[in-house]
Amino acid sequence: MTAQILDGKATAAAIKSDLTTRVEALKARGLTPGLGTLLVGEDVGSQKYVAGKHRDSQQIGVNSLQRELPATATQEEIEAVVRELNEDPSCTGYIVQLPLPRGIDTNRVLELMDPDKDADGLHPTNLGRLVLNQPGPLPCTPEGILVLLRRYGVEVNGAHVVVVGRGVTAGRPLPLLLTRKSENATVTQCHTGTRDLPALLRQADIVVAAAGVPHLVKPEDVRPGAAVLDVGVSRDENGKIVGDVHPGVRDVAGWISPNPGGVGPMTRAQLLVNVVEAAERSLG
Ligand SMILES: Nc1nc2c(c(=O)[nH]1)N[C@@H](CN(C=O)c1ccc(C(=O)N[C@@H](CCC(=O)O)C(=O)O)cc1)CN2
């Protein structure tokens, strides 16, 4: 079997095309959305992701506000930029690129953000809204994964989804989305401390690998015909992305997200959805 490709690049392009029309409508009502980003440090991967987010936003007519601080920035310097973005009316939504350098209290930074401008859906208020089933911005990677599965007709209702990883941007919030009544999946949350991970993976209709461990999910761990999504963004010595899913899984799975070109572009597209929706909400 050769898996059908869950093409995140093409799906993201379709989402961006729809958003362009909504941005034009916002502009006609006097509001140009502006996406702010705060990048702290010089991590090459983070720099690429932030550059991609601004490239995308410019493509759909959203203004860019880029803030950068060196890796040596203090908690107070980072929080000062967050306060500035909270106050700036031209910034209608923003993100703090994660991870922040070691020694910085990430939760304190996220908590300081204006929840109405939180384009990542990672502010405690917005994560709380998700738990309570109330409307609000959804975390971009989990929602991007769901949109991709829907677009390719992968059945989520009643499916057993095994999520590997417990990071705040993907693994931790994804089960919250999948177990809503509207999605109706059953989720097993695994992580690097899970005993006999292969035995659990083999039970899955859908595998989401978000542990940051290169080639963690091997062909023999996957049930033939399962859908496999790769969130891993480790890099080899040449800076090339190495995902959490072994390339041989393509020959066993029914669907697979390429990496690059799968979940990454969907994360960026969902960020723009959150920015446009926040701007629409602000106009009432
Ligand atoms: N504030 C946030 N920080 C981080 C998030 C997040 O959702 N919000 N998620 C991850 C990384 N991430 C988002 O910033 C991200 C990862 C990958 C891509 C992407 O477009 N990848 C491309 C390849 C790009 C390359 O060549 O390196 C692809 O997959 O095709 C975008 C965003 C951690 N931090």
Side-chain angles (χ1 to χ4, degrees):
M1 177 182 295
T2 300
Q4 187 181 346
I5 300 296
L6 300 169
D7 188 339
K9 215 170 155 187
T11 308
I15 293 169
K16 283 192 281 182
S17 156
D18 168 59
L19 289 175
T20 306
T21 316
R22 287 165 66 180
V23 172
E24 276 162 15
L26 282 163
K27 286 182 178 173
R29 295 172 71 191
L31 178 63
T32 301
L35 168 67
T37 59
L38 170 55
L39 173 62
V40 186
E42 289 81 33
D43 177 76
V44 175
S46 294
Q47 286 173 335
K48 277 193 182 176
Y49 306 144
V50 168
K53 290 172 188 188
H54 287 291
R55 212 172 34 245
D56 290 345
S57 44
Q58 281 150 17
Q59 273 172 15
I60 68 160
V62 165
N63 285 341
S64 276
L65 296 92
Q66 294 199 49
R67 301 286 180 269
E68 286 179 15
L69 289 171
T72 52
T74 62
Q75 184 85 28
E76 289 66 33
E77 286 166 333
I78 294 170
E79 291 181 8
V81 176
V82 169
R83 285 198 185 86
E84 185 243 316
L85 291 171
N86 282 346
E87 296 302 319
D88 184 345
S90 71
C91 170
T92 57
Y94 71 97
I95 61 124
V96 175
Q97 186 64 31
L98 301 177
L100 288 170
R102 213 169 285 154
I104 299 298
D105 184 340
T106 300
N107 289 344
R108 237 177 76 186
V109 174
L110 291 176
E111 207 155 332
L112 191 64
M113 294 174 76
D114 177 348
D116 292 334
K117 288 191 177 188
D118 165 27
D120 254 337
L122 298 178
H123 186 282
T125 296
N126 291 320
L127 287 173
R129 285 179 174 141
L130 173 57
V131 172
L132 297 172
N133 229 352
Q134 290 177 349
L138 295 170
C140 303
T141 301
E143 178 63 359
I145 287 170
L146 277 179
V147 171
L148 199 53
L149 290 170
R150 250 179 246 138
R151 183 179 168 94
Y152 284 90
V154 179
E155 186 73 270
V156 171
N157 192 328
H160 179 197
V161 185
V162 173
V163 176
V164 193
R166 50 187 159 185
V168 70
T169 57
R172 180 70 72 192
L174 178 58
L176 295 173
L177 273 76
L178 284 165
T179 52
R180 292 173 302 183
K181 283 218 168 106
S182 52
E183 314 305 329
N184 215 29
T186 298
V187 181
T188 301
Q189 176 133 45
C190 301
H191 42 76
T192 45
T194 297
R195 221 180 292 147
D196 201 359
L197 178 64
L200 291 163
L201 288 171
R202 279 193 288 270
Q203 294 173 24
D205 302 306
I206 300 172
V207 172
V208 180
V213 179
H215 299 175
L216 177 68
V217 177
K218 309 215 165 10
E220 60 272 23
D221 302 338
V222 173
R223 200 176 55 72
V228 181
L229 292 103
D230 190 355
V231 184
V233 288
S234 307
R235 291 191 185 257
D236 68 13
E237 60 282 1
N238 303 313
K240 201 168 156 253
I241 291 178
V242 186
D244 284 8
V245 177
H246 188 282
V249 170
R250 266 180 198 235
D251 301 329
V252 183
W255 293 268
I256 195 159
S257 71
N259 191 4
V263 175
M266 292 303 295
T267 297
R268 289 180 2 221
Q270 284 310 130
L271 171 65
L272 296 179
V273 170
N274 284 345
V275 170
V276 170
E277 285 182 353
E280 289 170 345
R281 262 196 307 274
S282 77
L283 288 182

